[in-house]
Structure formats: structure tokens, C-alpha cells
Amino acid sequence: MASTRRKRLLTTLRGHAGAVAALGILVLLTAGSGRVAAADYVVRDYAIPEPLTATPGDPQRGAAIVVDRARGNCLSCHAVPVDADFFGTTGPTLAAVGARLNAAQLRLRLVDPKVINPMTMMPAYFKTEGLYRVAPEYAGKPILSAQEIEDVVAFLLTLK
Amino acid sequence: MRAPQPVRRVLVAAAAGVACFASAAEDIDWGPYEVDGRRSGYTYAAAETRAIQDDDFENGGLLWVEKGAELWETAHGADGASCQGCHGDAAESMRGVGARYPVYAAEREKLINLEQRINQCRTERMGAEAWRWESEPLLAMTTYLRHQSRGMAVSPVIDGPAAPFFEQGKAFYTKRRGQLDLACIHCHEMNSGNMLRAQRLSQGMSNGFPTYRLKWQGVGSLHRRIRGCNEDVRAETYAPGSDEYVNVELYLAWRARGLPVETPAVRN
């Protein structure tokens, strides 16, 4: 579908100034804090074609995020071809996912998978709106930063 | 003092001999632990864990039952009354109570669960202070009382004045929450039997509570468990004993209807 959706989202500004500039995004600083900005990304054909940051994703950092329980924690639901004792089975294996999906598709899958499947169990990793009763220590923060999303996308693309 | 009875369920002992693979699970006759597709957490537990539950000498939860039995006989509070003084033998007077709670309490115009009923007797009928949530005496008494219904079918009343609270509990159960944006149904209905990393997801049944958790090395309440499941999705929790948790407790009891009270169950 050629429908273009624009999504506003809050993301941590710290370290993402380059990304924000690259996307030509309107930056709204909340008075005083200087931490939170509203940014736009464009969803087209069930994908996000433009990277969220100017710095290219790093597959090695991405691999570490995927395994890390406090960040990606992807292994809680997915089998992934990495060295680990346990893998979840609620999601499909991510083996060869880089051959099935391109960077733009993977980016949307991570940023907001409910656009693809409203019923999905997979969390939106780069979303702060439309959530209910987020614990105070996580409120207003996406699970991963824009750069971490790019790193994970770069890692997933190595799975062929 | 009632001595723990070594109970061996023949059916279960047979089932425990079968390896616990997801594929094998479908072929197992779980006896009373499965009713119309509703399965106790017992049927998702590892064989070693089930064996501990089946043996009252191994089951650490029985210590809480013993402690509860002592508290039952002991005088508390300004009035010098004991539970036994008014209620007599718990094996008779409390049999079946744990199988139907939580219930609608007209005087409160809302639901009341077993912990709250115990504290109601303490504060209103004994001149004693309420036991703190998750305190040892409250856990022991709740475990002791619910143990009096062990083996009886969970049978909550969800109609009449309980109906609106049941509906609220159901809404709670199906509502996505937290930074991970998950509802109870995602894990306990859509994915029971699947692995969440190293943990095998069950149907999230409440029939074994208070439950002895190997991880806790002790007995914990249902509300502690629900709060843990809220925390795991990075959601803001409610206080144990809150109306929200008591309402979802009724919904969970309805989900577990027909399953046997297992208190104290043993889980990972």
C-alpha cells in the first residue's frame, strides 16, 4: 500500500542529536529537562525506509543487545543463532531472518510491530505513546534507543 | 496439631514417569489436574517439581500449614479469643471455604478474599490487629485455611452482586499494560506450553495458592505472583489486597473452576 503514515514519538534526545538533524525533525524540548524530544519517522509499505540515526548500525553491538535481558531480551521469545542456554518459543526463529526481510522491514518490526500485526505479542521497542500503566522508572522511555534499533537491524541482516 | 499426611496420587505418580516434553504433554492423562482443557500449573511443572508437591514430607509448604494450625488454636488480641474458640475444628468449619473465595461481601459492597476475611475476624471479632500482607502469620493462616479444601473443585460464584467485579477482573486480565505492552492472555492463554526463555508458560491458574515457590524458598500469596507478572512487563503494580487484584482473583478462580485446590502447590 502506498499509504504513508507519520508517527510522532518521544525518544531520548541524549546522543541522538545527529539522528534528529538527519531526519529533519522538529525538535520539541520539554522545558528544563532537555531529555525528551518528539520525533517523526515515516512508515511506507509496512516498512521504515529511512534509518533512525546517521550513524550506521553496528552488528556486534546489535548482537549484544539481542541477548541482553535488560535491553532487547529477544531470546525470551525467539530462537536466535547465538550461543545461549535457553530460547523462547512464543515467536518464530530468527535464523535467516535477514534473508527474508530487508532493513526497512526489520526497522518497523522493531519500532512498532503492531502496525504489522495488531494482535502481536512482540513489544514495540521504540514507542512511548499509547501504552498503559508503564512503571514509573520506564515511563516516557522507549525500550531501545534509536541507535540501538539500528544496531539490532544491522545484526539481523547478518542472519542469512 | 495435624501431622502432614503422605499423600500419593496414583494417577499422578504414573504421569510423573512420563518425560515432560511439550509434544508428550498432549498424550498425558492429567486426571483431576485437567478439566475441559483447563490445566493446573501442576501439568506444566517439571517432573521433579511435581514429585515434591506429591510428597507432603518434601513439600515445604506444609510447614506453613502447621504454623497456621498453631495460630488457629492460639488466643490473640484484646478479647483473648482464638479462631478455634468460635469456629471449632477447621477441618469441618473451613472445609470448602477456600474453594469458593473471593466472595461478594454485602457489608463492604465489594469482593473480599480469604486474607481479608481472616483479618476481618481479627479486627472486628477479636480485638486484634490486622496481619500485614505477605507477613508470615497471614500466609500461614491463609495456607492452612485453603489447605482444608485441598482436592475440592474451585467453584467461585460470579453472578448476582459479584458479576460487576468479575467483569472488572476480566477486563484487567485482557488489558495490555506496561512498557512491554502485554496482557495476561498473551502469556497464559495464547502461549501456554510455550517457553519464555527458560520458563515454561502455564495457563496461569490460581488453584494452588498460596504456593510454595522454589525460587522464593517459601510460600507466597497469589497477589505477590500477580504483582510479579505485572513487574515483568514493566507495568506499574497495584498493592496486594487492592480491589484490582481481588477482582482479578475472582476471574482467575473462574478460569480455574473445576480444578482441585492444591494448596500448598509447589512451583518453580
Side-chain angles (χ1 to χ4, degrees), chain B residues 12-170:
Chain B
V12 169
V18 183
C20 175
F21 294 122
S23 53
E26 313 329 314
D27 309 328
I28 296 176
D29 177 358
W30 289 110
Y33 295 96
E34 175 168 6
V35 176
D36 295 338
R38 299 190 296 280
R39 281 168 55 181
S40 161
Y42 180 93
T43 70
Y44 294 92
E48 313 84 75
T49 312
R50 298 199 303 266
I52 298 173
Q53 177 173 325
D54 292 340
D55 185 343
D56 278 0
F57 290 109
E58 290 285 317
N59 182 343
L62 267 296
L63 292 174
W64 275 257
V65 173
E66 279 177 38
K67 181 77 180 127
E70 282 168 25
L71 290 168
W72 180 260
E73 298 169 354
T74 313
H76 302 270
D79 305 351
S82 71
C83 318
Q84 185 171 264
C86 285
H87 290 291
D89 183 359
E92 277 176 35
S93 64
M94 291 294 145
R95 188 164 163 73
V97 173
R100 53 184 172 78
Y101 266 62
V103 298
Y104 178 76
E107 74 277 13
R108 300 187 172 202
E109 298 183 320
K110 61 182 184 180
L111 301 181
I112 186 169
N113 76 359
L114 202 49
E115 283 92 338
Q116 292 165 333
R117 186 65 96 190
I118 293 166
N119 272 333
Q120 187 183 39
C121 276
R122 284 180 60 80
T123 56
E124 294 175 16
R125 300 193 173 103
M126 302 170 80
E129 278 184 23
W131 278 319
R132 259 186 322 103
W133 200 275
E134 220 64 25
S135 64
E136 286 300 312
L138 185 56
L139 279 173
M141 184 59 77
T142 311
T143 307
Y144 174 63
L145 292 191
R146 200 135 192 263
H147 185 68
Q148 307 308 318
S149 303
R150 184 153 80 165
M152 294 176 74
V154 174
S155 47
V157 173
I158 62 163
D159 55 6
F165 303 96
F166 173 81
E167 290 304 328
Q168 284 174 43
K170 182 179 184 177

